[in-house]
Amino acid sequence: MPSRLESITQQRLEKLQRLRDSGIDPYPHRYRRTHTVQQAVALFERTERAGRLPQRRLALAGRIAASRDMGKACFVDIRDGTGKIQVYFRLDVLGAQSYSLAKELDLGDIIGVKGHLFRTRSGELTLEAQELHMLAKSLQPLPEKWHGLVDVEKRYRQRYLDLISNPQSREVFHKRSQIIAAMRRFLHDQGFIEVETPVLQPAAGGAAAQPFITHHHALDQDLYLRIATELHLKRLIIGGFDKVYEIGRIFRNEGISTKHNPEFTTLESYQAYADYHDVMRMVETMVSAIAQEVLGTTQVSFGEVTIELAPPWPRKSLREEIEERCGLDFLAYEDPASLRRAMLEIGVEVEETASPSHLVDKLISSLVEPNLMQPTFLLDYPVEMSPLAKRTPYNPRLVERFEAFAAGMEIANAFTELNDPLEQRERFQMQERWRTQLGDQEAERVDEDFLLALEYGMPPTGGLGVGIDRLVMLLTGQQSIREVILFPQLKSKPPF
RNA sequence: GGGCCGUUAGCUCAGGGGUAGAGCACCUGACUUUUAAUCAGGGUGUCGAAGGUUCGAAUCCUUCACGGCCUACCA
């Protein structure tokens, strides 16, 4: 006995053969449509308002999303990239031969139809087809029309089915595109130029993370996929591009969760002669401008809460914020071991081998981050966890760095960039010591090539990193990063 | 990595020791303005996989695979 799947496919294959036998190419090379669905609707509504009867014959094309067969007439809904419209086939209009083709249509087939528009008795705008062409025969059944595709794994593995059957999913990715376009416009209007820097690097730096490793055969050399775009963009500031940005994919060889995908997209921007206060103003202005442009509002819903993105966002000292949350002043501890003991007392456990940079980070991620629903800037981080940022004038143990939080997520990270090449070398060396002594695989390495660039002189600079995927989550109300990445990373499955 | 939950027809889901079920989709027939079309008929399946318990396993047990959520690490 053939399986269920094979028998369906067999039925479709027989239909396919019948099409070919009757001289119809089921996969023609092109179809000249005159209008998209959206354009057709707009055209009809214009003529309707002008009190005229639409005369013009239109050619539309799309995938069959539903069909209602009435015997000697039938209705199908077709969908293209712009919308859905009903098509009406009549035996007496179409003729026996074309009508028999219409009767053979399956949900999922892609067709072209030519005819004119009218309104049915119930007022639905409909194209009465005088011609019908098969543009691509579908051999697989589509998910159910009413519930759509629900199976989460299938939605991610076969995203095209998700997009065909779930309008909400189409909407999220459409918005993602608009968000990134709005971001580019904003940066362009501010005088930033967009650049591209290498993904393949001899050493991965610019962030605390483990890289993916690969190998170049011709060079016979190991290369790393970038974990940040930071160090190359600063080289461009040194090169005299005063405002640069890159929107690009970066790769981190770490865990996967609702907030983490191994490859994700960041915006990094660098502005000469600016500090982190200037960058703060830019972030709050940019995010609210994007929301206004794409969503038409600066208020977004996220789970149970409504988030107001209009500037100004509150600025709070990281040190005071942590002290408010748990009574612990991280500056009161001179060495990592005593801070670690104090954290243990308030129930925050950290591994024995954790490097100093991990300690405060742990306090932030467990106590602060989940509680910051409204957009908030936290300012001035410990120097140990920010090897690329400049110290504050008022306390050498802190750097001019901020992170922006919203919806319980970190969405941006920025600092006044360290431009003293000798101090930068010392900071790298401190990181290198953690790597060798504490086994901190995420510590920065001494990057001689970057240090050489710094030695030529980098102007005072404000730098910024924004997690685009998380920003899209925030603006579309999605609770999982997989809902805003078209093809999220999943474990491979054995073939069917 | 740890914990909990899930995997049954193409899709959405019931069924929890005794012949494999429903709706949609699909197939056959009727119907020339339907729209979750309607009406009559048809079940198309490796119950995620492999072992085990049992007279008998979709159901109970073990292991494994994949996924979801929480947790740990990171952004």
Side-chain angles (χ1 to χ4, degrees), chain A residues 276 317-320 323 329-334 379-384 386 389-401 423 427:
Chain A
Y276 74 149
S317 148
L318 172 69
R319 182 186 177 188
E320 288 165 15
E323 199 166 2
D329 175 9
F330 60 78
L331 283 183
Y333 302 89
E334 291 295 328
L379 278 61
D380 298 351
Y381 282 60
V383 64
E384 295 84 8
S386 315
K390 187 177 275 188
R391 292 179 205 265
T392 64
Y394 69 91
N395 188 331
R397 291 176 62 194
L398 296 176
V399 295
E400 288 197 342
R401 171 181 177 182
E423 184 179 352
R427 299 270 200 94

Side-chain angles (χ1 to χ4, degrees), chain A residues 170-188:
Chain A
R170 283 198 294 273
E171 184 62 22
V172 166
F173 291 105
H174 191 228
K175 284 218 173 88
R176 179 178 174 125
S177 167
Q178 292 176 312
I179 287 164
I180 293 173
M183 179 178 279
R184 282 203 162 92
R185 266 196 301 279
F186 179 93
L187 291 162
H188 176 82

Side-chain angles (χ1 to χ4, degrees), chain A residues 25 31 37 57 94 124-125 143 146-147 159 166 223 240 245 255 263 275 293 310 377 379 402 446 464 470 485:
Chain A
D25 178 0
Y31 183 73
V37 166
R57 286 212 318 166
L94 213 49
E124 173 139 357
L125 183 54
W146 195 238
H147 299 90
R159 182 66 89 180
N166 297 328
L223 292 170
Y245 78 94
E263 49 184 304
D275 71 359
E293 188 172 335
F377 292 119
L379 278 61
F402 74 79
V446 178
L464 167 68
R470 290 184 178 178
I485 291 175

Side-chain angles (χ1 to χ4, degrees), chain A residues 38 44 77 109 274 308 312 473:
Chain A
Q38 199 175 49
F44 186 83
D77 296 335
D109 287 351
E308 175 55 75
M473 287 168 69

Side-chain angles (χ1 to χ4, degrees), chain A residues 226-229 248-252 261-266 268:
Chain A
R226 66 183 176 189
I227 57 174
T229 49
R249 198 75 60 86
I250 65 176
F251 308 85
R252 298 191 181 175
N261 195 61
E263 49 184 304
F264 61 106
T265 304
T266 58
E268 282 197 42

Side-chain angles (χ1 to χ4, degrees), chain A residues 97-127:
Chain A
Q97 197 178 353
S98 278
Y99 194 77
S100 70
L101 171 60
K103 300 287 275 187
E104 287 255 289
L105 293 174
D106 288 305
L107 294 189
D109 287 351
I110 296 176
I111 59 171
V113 286
K114 194 179 284 184
H116 50 252
L117 294 169
F118 74 106
R119 282 202 189 276
T120 63
R121 217 173 265 164
S122 55
E124 173 139 357
L125 183 54
T126 301
L127 183 123

